[in-house]
Amino acid sequence: MAETLPVDAADSEPVDLEFRDEDGYVSREFVALVEQAVEAEDAESTCALAGDLHEADLGDLIETLHADDQAKLIRLLGDAFDFTVLTELDDSVRARILGEMPASDVAEGIGDLDSDDAVYILEDLDQADQEAILQELKQSDRLQLRRALDYPEETAGRRMQSDFVAVPPFWTIGQTIDYLRESDSLPDDFYQIYVIDPGFRLMGTVALDKLLRTGRSDPISGIMGEPVHAIQATEDQEEVAMTFERYNLISAAVVDEADRLVGVLTVDDIVDVIQAEAEEDIFALAGVGGDAEISDSVVETVRGRFVWLVVNLGTAVLASLVIGLFDATIQQMVALAVLMPIVASMGGNAGTQTMTVAVRALATRDLGSFNTMRIIMRETAVGFINGVLFAVLMGLVAGLWFSDANLGGLIAAAMVINMLAAGMAGILIPIMLDKLNIDPAVASSVFVTTVTDVVGFFAFLGLATWWFGFG
């Protein structure tokens, strides 16, 4: 994307400038010009630079700026700023910007947004700030947003758009098309028309292509299809995303407990959900808070990681206690201290590989009662075979390294035991946690690492004590 822009407020010579560099990042030159315009309080240059950017690009630009310049940039853009940009920002950046803006300005900005975008902006604010902004909205918008915010977090009700096209079944195709042409309150984008009864209960759906191919005099009820895959408003957003993925949906109706139509979900909403859920699982596997952002402060980052580091400390102490049981053995053969981290490390890596596959399969519902035993047997076999292969390799290396065939045989046996235990733990622990309704993405890594460390050290040092007659 090329921009022809003034170099600064005092320079009338234009310059062609790419917004993004060759690696896809916002170019340093572009950021420097924006920072210069913002610091100079030059609204004209700021609008010339950033006023026509796509909301995703403007969001990236805002996140590259210093915190003090972010709200200032938005103020200088004035009416050229589209509040949809706020949905592209990290949560902490968005909250900081909203905290610096008057409630009336925020209300004016979100009043023109789709309801799902407005809810996304408001939902992370505290109750007092939400209420202050809602009070500035007109009553119809306020009631609409409050209803959406009343649904639990991470549900379809929070992600849905409240604007949709609904018609009665007795309308003709002509009436419906005329309504679509003349109404000023239609959503910006829609893919289906919903047919409802007088109680607003969903009766069926009509795809736009079918509507346009049918004669004007035909009733809408004659071409409506069954309301396939209607989503409950209280359904978890991860389950909704799986429904969209499984059935290749473009949009889906959202209904309440009485099957009344309350909103619609579209695929662009679900793409955001899929990304958010994937990020949450990745962070959870690493023991990082699920809402961690690259823009978080030091204090927020420490708070998000501290708890699981404490848990890991406890498991490390447990592994150290196992090593302490064999201190006499280690003192008599120093080579054991050199080799035992290899056994534990290989087991840990093997267990993490199996665990990652298992957690993902559970999240996507690819691992269930129909194939659990087969997958357990497969991963156990994989662990055993990898154990044998690396036992041969490491046994030869250790035997030649320390000129001791017995030591090579010892580490080979320990390697087989720990790799077998790693394969079993990597699949069984996530399954058991899932059965206990504990998120396997959050807790699996700690338990799997503990098993591989304890089994690895105990097997290696225990076999050494028995084999060489130490202790």
Side-chain angles (χ1 to χ4, degrees), residues 186-237:
L186 299 180
D188 292 335
D189 300 295
F190 58 96
Y191 310 96
Q192 290 181 319
I193 293 173
Y194 299 98
V195 183
I196 56 173
D197 67 11
F200 237 76
R201 285 181 291 272
L202 182 64
M203 299 177 61
T205 61
V206 177
L208 292 182
D209 62 327
K210 185 176 288 188
L211 180 76
L212 296 175
R213 292 188 180 117
T214 308
R216 289 181 59 87
S217 60
D218 291 353
I220 200 79
S221 59
I223 62 170
M224 77 175 185
E226 292 294 322
V228 181
H229 309 303
I231 305 294
Q232 287 292 323
T234 54
E235 189 171 347
D236 185 87
Q237 64 180 21

Side-chain angles (χ1 to χ4, degrees), residues 333 336 339 343 387-388 390-418 459-468:
M333 182 175 282
L336 298 176
L339 294 174
V343 178
V388 170
F390 283 99
V392 172
L393 177 62
M394 198 58 218
L396 290 173
V397 171
L400 294 173
W401 187 357
F402 294 98
S403 301
D404 189 337
N406 286 328
L407 191 58
L410 170 64
I411 195 172
M415 188 73 74
V416 172
I417 293 171
N418 201 28
F460 185 56
L461 297 175
L463 284 173
T465 302
W466 169 75
W467 195 308
F468 294 105

